[in-house]
Amino acid sequence: MTTENEKYVYDFSEGKKELKNLLGGKGANLAEMTNIGLNIPQGFTITTSACLKYYENQDQVMETLKPAVLDAIKRLEDKYNKKFGDIKDPLLVSVRSGAPMSMPGMMDTVLNLGLNDESVKGLAEQTGNERFAYDSYRRFLQMFSDVVMGIELDHFEEILNAYKAKKGENAKDTDLEISDLKNIIREYKALYEKEIGSPFPQSPQEQLFNSIDAVFKSWNNKRAITYRKMNKIPNFGTAVNVQVMVFGNKGWSSGTGVAFTRDPSTGEKRRFGEYLANAQGEDVVAGIRTPKTMTEMKEEFPKVYDELMSLMEKLENHYKDMQDIEFTIEDGELFILQTRNGKRTPTSAVKIAVDMVKEGLITKEQAIMSIDAKSISDLLFKSIDDKADFEVIAKGINASPGAVTGIAIFDSDRTEELKNKENMDVILVRPQTKPDDVHGLYASVGVLTQFGGKTSHAAVVARGIGKPAVVGAQDVKIDIKNKQFTVGNTIVKEGDYITIDGTTGRIIKGKVPLVDPELTGEFIELLDIADEIKKLGVRANADTPTDATKALEFGAQGIGLCRTEHMFMAQERLPVVQQMIMAKTTEERQVALDKILPMQKGDFYDIFKIMKGKPVTIRLLDPPLHEFLPEFTELLLETQKLKMTNAATDEELKEKEELIHIIRTLHEENPMMGLRGCRLGITWPEINEMQVRAIFQAACEIKKEGINVKPEVMIPLVGMLSELKIVKDQLVKIAKETIDHYNVDLDYKFGTMIEIPRAALVADKIATEAEFFSFGTNDLTQMTFGFSRDDAEGKFLPIYFERGVMTDNPFEILDQEGVGQLMKMAIQKGRDTRKDLKCGICGEHGGEPSSIDFAHRIGLNYVSCSPYRIPIARIAAAQANIKNK
Ligand code: ADP
Ligand code: MG
Ligand code: MG
């Protein structure tokens, strides 16, 4: 609804930076700078609210707006003692779009508006600078036609270039003479008339209203809508700024440029900028001539240079952030046209934040809040040196960040062999990976797959162990038989070098120089600041000693999830594990388990030793057993082939048949809801017993060595108290026996994972037995929504997003409304029973900033995430505490 007297137009002198949502970023800052007394060409801002109303009732808004705009123009005419459209001394303005958040797709700026065939003569006479007047008109014609009327810019460039070419080979725009400019203008106007069907508008009012209308329309062009959708930017509307022109193209004592108060790529405290003399608007950015540096400015414009330096200082102190400034020099006088918080690389963001704390410019809290926690991950991985020369042959899905070079190898055994025997850097290239490729993934430096998405096996494992992965690269045609892949005409053979970039999904043939991650001094300082502020603990999901070491290096306060199934997957163990699964009697099974026990004990021993007394939560075996067996159809085919070719002994065949039989019996319609977690422990208690024995033997031995150790045994997939009780009773007995046997004092806990909605509902009961809760948010999300993750992400979630059924993927961003409420209730109920119940998240959400914020708010004690996300989690946890104070 349009309210009759809503104020749509604000003079710069009426605004301030706090009105960003109403006036847009550009408008609010122009007002703010006016108020702190900088030399700002004056003007006014039409509000974002007018833009939104325009979409409700276009005509009505334009009708109310027009008189208000004309009034504002009148105020400018009085102030500058010039008249809009005057044939002797015309007031000229720019029309600039400006949304509350900077956004591509918005209408480009139109400069020199108000010129026409008559006033251009007046401008020439009044300034005594004919060249300047016609250059300005030439530019205005071009910008208005392109930006407001949508005539192809190329047509104008063609005309311009034709005239430049006549001046000589490398002629610049400044080489054009007045007569050239006049000719160009004539051709431009003819082109306009041909394209639009009417002459170029001579009325400045018409020029202005058309431009305002075009800015409003640009808010809802396709590009803008897509961008907002992708980046979840609200429908703010855009503001329109109308500002009196100052001219950098008036001659060689004029110019235009941009400046940063700190170096935007390194963060160093040094003024940085570029400018061009005798130029206007975007000329510097557009690269029409090579811009000059600040050092050159000191020579060419010493007075302006000094002024600019002190002004930068003033702006940075005022905004308390690095500023990106646009300025224009007109006849030696400096004007500021824009300031905003400068964009920066993640490295410079960290340096600037820490430096500013040291300089006393901002508080530690402000420093933490200035960091985009997500972008921090770029600092933890190698990246491709973009200055290098390389050709991207294909792109896949960026599933696990970091760039790496290695030789392409097409199977996991060979990968492991090359790693172990020759210490080669291998990139495992597979159509897709399966659990029996895990040893290959561990031995590789990175993985490339033709199929699968971000949650494919390769992607999940690679992220877990922090190796780069590019998956689902459809254009990469893998030929396993001939050990090669092709992309179009490019062939990559086994042993050829390739480079993959898991941050962007790029695939490159050959080696490419890589840039090391920068764990700079400032980064460490920033993380220390975060630790001072945060309340949430940050632990790591870590399954191996390598993970544990990385986790500590990145500042983990413990291990929140140590999954034991990966320990079963190792290549030399898998046969024993299969032997255990296929055992026909308990005794037979025990034989196999006895072989696994020392291996498991070794795993835990190493991890405990590395963690030196920090808590380590170990989850007992969780996945359905068939995951440890070969793939069914493959096995069938293989056996069939053996039979037909008589290539196997009867004995061998019998073994295969038995395996087929077992896989058939283990087959489940719905494995996600099948025999797994504590159900497994109740059905096959010996496995849990072996694991607990291994955990406590390892812990006791470490303790005997005088190193502290804190094991926490986690029983997964509990839905009923009775399940937990039966498993726990059996295992506590073993723990106690072991401790007695070693005769040590051991601090340990038994707890559970809350990942079934029923467990959350009866959390008060569960807490009578569980000494801690760890939220398995992946499963809890699956079970709460009733989505199976792989099916959902692969099939219908994309459609849900497209149709607006959902906006966020609940497996990436914790669903606070549903899953989160279950968690909140479980914590409350649990703590009703056990006041000091420790609760944490151990799903992937533990490394995602908005989920961490939620975790803080509902009173979790810690979050746990992949080691590589720990710095992100530390910063996000500190931000959560600041935001929710
Ligand atoms: P963007 O949002 O793309 O940066 P701007 O509105 O800042 O676009 O304008 C583009 C260029 O025109 C900038 O270099 C700016 O400094 C310049 N400019 C805008 N308004 C004026 C004006 N009134 N006088 C002189 N130059 C201007
Ligand atoms: Mg700008
Ligand atoms: Mg689970």
Side-chain angles (χ1 to χ4, degrees), residues 101 167 264 503:
M101 287 171 98
K167 296 284 147 193
T503 313

Side-chain angles (χ1 to χ4, degrees), residues 12-80:
F12 289 170
S13 54
E14 294 176 301
K16 55 181 170 188
K17 69 174 192 295
E18 288 76 18
L19 291 181
K20 197 167 158 189
N21 281 349
L22 188 66
L23 304 179
K26 209 178 273 170
N29 284 335
L30 284 166
E32 185 77 12
M33 290 192 291
T34 299
N35 295 337
I36 60 173
L38 302 190
N39 199 12
I40 311 297
Q42 286 303 289
F44 55 90
T45 304
I46 302 168
T47 64
T48 54
S49 165
C51 172
L52 290 181
K53 299 275 167 57
Y54 174 91
Y55 281 101
E56 286 170 17
N57 192 334
Q58 184 169 331
D59 295 338
Q60 196 185 347
V61 167
M62 287 312 273
E63 279 327 295
T64 14
L65 199 54
K66 279 178 185 173
V69 166
L70 293 177
D71 278 352
I73 289 281
K74 176 88 184 37
R75 289 193 293 276
L76 289 176
E77 288 175 336
D78 292 346
K79 182 169 277 159
Y80 286 89

Side-chain angles (χ1 to χ4, degrees), residues 564-577:
T564 50
E565 51 268 24
H566 290 202
M567 303 174 172
F568 280 38
M569 292 289 188
Q571 208 201 2
E572 67 283 6
R573 300 184 187 182
L574 206 53
V576 192
V577 174

Side-chain angles (χ1 to χ4, degrees), residues 12 26 30 41-42 92-98 102-103 106-112 143 241-248 256-258 280-285 325-328 330 335-338 340:
F12 289 170
K26 209 178 273 170
L30 284 166
Q42 286 303 289
L92 303 183
V93 296
S94 64
V95 178
R96 321 170 67 186
S97 63
S102 94
M103 230 181 81
M106 290 296 88
M107 195 189 87
D108 286 340
T109 294
V110 178
L111 300 176
N112 312 332
M143 280 186 262
N241 302 291
V242 178
Q243 185 176 22
V244 167
M245 284 301 302
V246 286
F247 299 99
T256 178
V258 291
Q280 186 174 53
E282 306 271 63
D283 287 359
V284 172
V285 188
I325 298 160
E326 289 174 6
F327 62 90
T328 283
E330 179 177 330
F335 295 89
I336 303 300
L337 287 156
Q338 188 169 339
R340 60 186 154 194

